[in-house]
Amino acid sequence: MNENSVSRFKVLLKVMDIIYLIGVVLSGIGTLALVGLTIFINSVSEGTLNKFLQADHSKVMMSIGGLNYEFTKSFISEHLAVNKGLLISVLIIAILNAVLFLLMMWYARKLIHKLSKNEVFSNNNGKFIETIAILFLFAGHTYKLMVSMLSMFIDKSLNLSHYLSEADVIRKVSYNLISLDWNIILIAITIWFIGRAFRYGAYLQNEYDATV
C-alpha cells in the first residue's frame, strides 16, 4: 500500500466518521420521536385516535412486495377501527429496532476512531465488530417483525381480511410474525467472523512482539 492509498484511506475514514455521526444523531432523534409518539398515543383515548385517523387530511397506505396501496376515504370511514394496544406494540418494536440501529452506528464510529489512530488488529476492534454482528442479527429480525406487525395492524384496523373474505376474494389470512431470515443470519456470522479474525490478528501480533 503506497502513500497515496494510505492518504485516500484516511480521507475515507474521515468521511465515514461524519456519515456515522449523522447516523447516530438521526437515529437518536428518531428514537426520541418514537418514544414521544408512543407516550402521546398512550395518553389519548382510542376514540380520539380513530377520529384523528379518519380526518380528511389523513391517508392510510399499505405496501406489499414493492406495491403501495392507498385506501379511499369512504373505505376508511366505514371500516377503520384502530386497536390502540396493537399500535403501541408496533411502536415499541419500532423503538427497539431504532435503539439497535443506534448502537450499531455508535460501535461502527468507535471502530472508525480506532482505525484513524492506526489501531487495526486489536482486541477492542474485534469486539466492536463482533458486537455489530450481534446487533445486526437482532436488528434485522426486529425490523422484519415490525413490518409484519405493521401489516397486521393495518389489516385488523381496516378489518381488511374479513372484508376480502366476504367478497370471496381470499379464503383465509394467517400471520407469520416470527421467522428466521437466513440472509441476515449469514451476514451476521460473516461480520462476526471478521471480528474474530481481527482478534486473532491481534494475538499473532502480540506473539510476534513478544518473540522479537
Side-chain angles (χ1 to χ4, degrees):
M1 200 171 189
N2 55 41
E3 291 185 2
N4 289 334
S5 298
V6 172
S7 299
R8 287 196 295 267
F9 182 69
K10 287 186 176 293
V11 171
L12 177 61
L13 287 175
K14 292 180 180 179
V15 172
M16 294 301 295
D17 182 58
I18 295 173
I19 292 174
Y20 280 113
L21 175 61
I22 295 173
V24 168
V25 173
L26 292 179
S27 297
I29 294 173
T31 302
L32 292 176
L34 286 171
V35 171
L37 180 61
T38 304
I39 295 173
F40 171 76
I41 291 177
N42 190 54
S43 65
V44 300
S45 65
E46 201 168 89
T48 302
L49 186 61
N50 279 292
K51 287 181 181 179
F52 175 78
L53 294 175
Q54 290 175 355
D56 292 335
H57 65 271
S58 64
K59 294 181 180 180
V60 177
M61 302 180 66
M62 182 168 63
S63 178
I64 301 176
L67 297 176
N68 296 322
Y69 299 93
E70 181 177 337
F71 296 95
T72 62
K73 297 302 299 182
S74 59
F75 185 84
I76 293 174
S77 60
E78 292 176 5
H79 296 85
L80 183 64
V82 170
N83 184 318
K84 190 175 81 169
L86 182 57
L87 177 57
I88 291 176
S89 298
V90 173
L91 288 172
I92 290 174
I93 297 298
I95 291 170
L96 176 60
N97 188 257
V99 170
L100 291 171
F101 187 77
L102 173 60
L103 290 174
M104 285 175 59
M105 295 292 102
W106 178 261
Y107 279 104
R109 190 160 184 258
K110 292 183 73 172
L111 175 62
I112 288 174
H113 279 177
K114 290 290 185 180
L115 294 176
S116 63
K117 294 179 181 178
N118 297 326
E119 298 179 25
V120 181
F121 292 108
S122 67
N123 278 320
N124 285 335
N125 287 355
K127 289 178 181 179
F128 291 156
I129 297 173
E130 289 175 1
T131 303
I132 292 171
I134 296 172
L135 291 171
F136 177 82
L137 179 64
F138 284 102
H141 285 91
T142 55
Y143 177 78
K144 286 175 63 67
L145 176 61
M146 180 186 67
V147 172
S148 298
M149 288 188 66
L150 184 59
S151 299
M152 183 178 73
F153 167 74
I154 294 175
D155 178 47
K156 288 186 174 295
S157 297
L158 293 171
N159 204 14
L160 189 59
S161 298
H162 181 71
Y163 174 81
L164 293 175
S165 297
E166 283 188 340
D168 200 27
V169 176
I170 59 174
R171 179 179 297 177
K172 65 177 181 178
V173 172
S174 60
Y175 301 108
N176 186 21
L177 297 179
I178 301 176
S179 62
L180 294 177
D181 190 322
W182 293 105
N183 290 323
I184 293 174
I185 293 174
L186 181 60
I187 294 172
I189 291 175
T190 303
I191 297 173
W192 181 86
F193 180 78
I194 293 172
R196 278 287 164 174
F198 268 64
R199 296 180 68 178
Y200 182 61
Y203 167 78
L204 293 178
Q205 184 65 48
N206 291 333
E207 287 290 307
Y208 176 78
D209 293 340
T211 302
V212 174

